[in-house]
Amino acid sequence: MSTVDAGRATPPLPLTAPRSPAGPVLAVLWAGAAAVVALWWADTGAVVGTAGRLTGAGRIAGLLCGYACAVLVGLMARVPLLEVRIGSDRVARWHAMAGRYTVCLLVAHIALILAGYAAQDRASLWHEAVTVVLDYPEMLKATAGTVILFAVGVTSVRAARRRTSYEFWYYVHLLTYAAVFLAFGHQLALGEQFNGRPVATAFWYALYLGVAALVLWFRVLAPVRLNRRHRLRVGSVHKEAPGVYSVVVHGRHLDGLGARPGQFFRWRFLGEGMGWTSTPYSLSAPPRPDRLRITVKALGDHSAAVALLRPGTRVWAEGPYGSLTADRATGQRSLLIAAGVGITPLRALFETLPGEVTLLYRARGAEDLALGGELEAIARRRGAQLLYALNGPRGERPSITAQSLRATFPDLADHDVYICGPHGFAQDVYGALRAAGVPDRRIHHESFEL
């Protein structure tokens, strides 16, 4: 197993766990939804009859859908407050939930509006649908946007996601921007809450232009500035274990990135046919002023091609992202539990976390222990404990249960526990830790499943 110089350890950090802004951010988002409903309430007179009730409900659903579209795009903007302070995985879950709300509200809006118009005109649903799409202003563009949103929703369903490549899912997902742009015009043209009401119209423009500004700055301009300043290139590629490779990336003034052990970047390698995809990989060593390192396991086309990268290949990076850092620690003792390539961010934390640190590394066999030599050297240097959980000679898997954890760590509840590994593994370990009495606030985990 080859070893790459990890450089100097990051100085110990003060153990002050900053309060997550997740609660206030969610409160603001729900307050926005309440303001949208209040907008309908303030500008709507008496609702009379079946047609009026259906149309009124359809307009509420449409307003909330328009608001949800803005939230959906805002959560995709990679705002540092969200990506670092709250955590990329949590924001991704919010985005997925907002997507489901958006699609459901869109279906409700279409169905209720058409039913209300049909009841009012005493016509069929099909006749109303054709009339609305062909005769109403901005509706052809809105229809195209609706089709795109449904396509994004279908490809985001877990069953469909498993059957498509990451690259296909990624580019279909980007079409959300086009869908929101196409649907925006009909909201102002047909929304009764905006006709002749400049304050409401100004609010809606401010909402969408504000979100567009976040996307432009954090997804376009900030990455351009980062990559022009730091000039990243592949320095070397090293095999760490079967199918696992480390990539050392060189650049200028990398200490200016503000990257922390445990964080990740989204990487785009401009060679070997990999330039079309941006993929998240964690730093597997503490960042240095002249180099960064990631360690990648071949799990798909993109990750498998990492082994073919040549020195000098240009690299486009976005970040740093993620909140799996020393900032989460609340005490002086930490337990790191890793499985497979989930060792990468925890290897960086193993070297740099202050206090008493133990690492438990789950792998199939000794040959699958990526970065094992480095981990043993770190354990010796800082007097830390390194434990392995390997399959038995007949393939039997060691179980990580509440009982086994308590037996190994009698004072487990006093530890901060960092978990990184496959989603199922992380869920099982989380359940075992909670059953062993570890408070939820001391369990730290980020999932990189997309």
Side-chain angles (χ1 to χ4, degrees):
M1 181 180 295
S2 61
T3 303
V4 182
D5 177 22
R8 297 166 293 176
T10 301
L13 300 167
L15 293 181
T16 55
R19 186 174 181 180
S20 169
V25 169
L26 284 176
V28 169
L29 295 179
W30 284 111
V36 168
V37 175
L39 178 67
W40 175 87
W41 182 273
D43 292 325
T44 301
V47 177
V48 179
T50 301
R53 287 191 287 272
L54 289 171
T55 303
R59 286 175 178 151
I60 293 175
L63 285 168
L64 287 173
C65 182
Y67 173 74
C69 283
V71 171
L72 193 68
V73 173
L75 293 174
M76 293 171 65
R78 297 176 187 166
V79 179
L81 171 68
L82 304 180
E83 298 284 333
V84 177
R85 293 287 308 283
I86 295 175
S88 297
D89 64 329
R90 193 171 186 182
V91 174
R93 290 195 294 271
W94 288 0
H95 173 73
M97 183 179 297
R100 289 191 287 270
Y101 286 157
T102 301
V103 172
C104 291
L105 287 168
L106 180 59
V107 171
H109 170 62
I110 294 171
L112 290 168
I113 283 290
L114 291 179
Y117 286 178
Q120 178 179 314
D121 297 340
R122 301 179 184 275
S124 68
L125 286 174
W126 174 252
H127 177 270
E128 288 299 331
V130 172
T131 301
V132 167
V133 170
L134 297 181
D135 296 343
Y136 282 43
E138 300 287 340
M139 275 307 303
L140 284 175
K141 289 193 296 183
T143 302
T146 298
V147 172
I148 292 173
L149 274 179
F150 281 139
V152 173
V154 168
T155 56
S156 298
V157 174
R158 182 168 298 180
R161 176 68 187 91
R162 290 172 178 169
R163 291 173 170 80
T164 58
S165 67
Y166 169 77
E167 291 78 8
F168 177 81
W169 172 86
Y170 176 78
Y171 285 107
V172 169
H173 224 63
L174 287 180
L175 291 175
T176 302
Y177 297 123
V180 173
F181 173 78
L182 289 169
F184 179 73
H186 100 284
Q187 298 175 41
L188 297 178
L190 300 177
E192 287 193 355
Q193 280 65 41
F194 305 113
N195 293 330
R197 295 174 175 85
V199 174
T201 302
F203 165 75
W204 213 246
Y205 268 112
L207 174 65
Y208 273 77
L209 289 176
V211 168
L214 291 177
V215 172
L216 177 63
W217 180 258
F218 291 112
R219 295 207 64 164
V220 180
L221 299 180
V224 168
R225 178 177 178 272
L226 181 155
N227 288 280
R228 289 193 62 181
R229 179 185 180 191
H230 298 292
R231 304 286 182 178
L232 303 175
R233 292 185 180 272
V234 172
S236 57
V237 180
H238 305 263
K239 185 176 182 179
E240 302 288 359
V244 179
Y245 292 84
S246 284
V247 181
V248 177
V249 176
H250 292 285
R252 303 183 305 181
H253 314 299
L254 299 185
D255 48 344
L257 287 170
R260 304 280 300 280
Q263 291 188 308
F264 68 94
F265 287 76
R266 297 179 185 273
W267 304 89
R268 193 186 302 270
F269 299 101
L270 306 182
E272 309 299 336
M274 302 172 67
W276 293 101
T277 304
S278 172
T279 305
Y281 296 124
S282 296
L283 299 176
S284 62
R288 294 178 54 177
D290 63 339
R291 70 179 64 181
L292 304 171
R293 191 187 73 178
I294 59 174
T295 301
V296 179
K297 185 173 183 178
L299 298 173
D301 294 342
H302 188 276
S303 54
V306 165
L308 306 176
L309 288 172
R310 299 178 182 179
T313 300
R314 292 187 60 188
V315 180
W316 184 276
E318 299 174 40
Y321 301 123
S323 62
L324 196 70
T325 66
D327 283 342
R328 287 196 177 185
T330 60
Q332 288 290 336
R333 285 182 287 186
S334 300
L335 170 62
L336 316 180
I337 304 178
V341 79
I343 190 61
T344 54
L346 299 194
R347 179 258 177 258
L349 287 172
F350 190 48
E351 181 175 346
T352 58
L353 268 177
E356 179 184 320
V357 183
T358 300
L359 172 62
L360 174 59
Y361 188 1
R362 168 77 181 97
R364 286 192 296 268
E367 67 280 2
D368 298 306
L369 292 171
L371 310 173
E374 293 182 22
L375 297 172
E376 292 167 7
I378 293 169
R380 289 192 299 268
R381 185 165 63 248
R382 65 175 300 175
Q385 189 176 18
L386 175 61
L387 305 174
Y388 296 122
L390 306 178
N391 290 357
R394 296 182 180 179
E396 56 270 25
R397 296 167 57 89
S399 57
I400 300 177
T401 63
Q403 293 74 20
S404 65
L405 288 169
R406 278 197 298 260
T408 307
F409 309 99
D411 55 353
L412 179 63
D414 296 328
H415 285 70
D416 283 286
V417 185
Y418 291 77
I419 311 170
C420 195
H423 184 65
F425 168 84
Q427 281 189 318
D428 291 343
V429 171
Y430 175 84
L433 290 168
R434 295 292 289 129
V438 181
D440 184 71
R441 63 185 176 84
R442 285 181 172 244
I443 303 175
H444 317 302
H445 169 247
E446 277 190 329
S447 171
F448 301 105
E449 286 200 342
L450 298 170

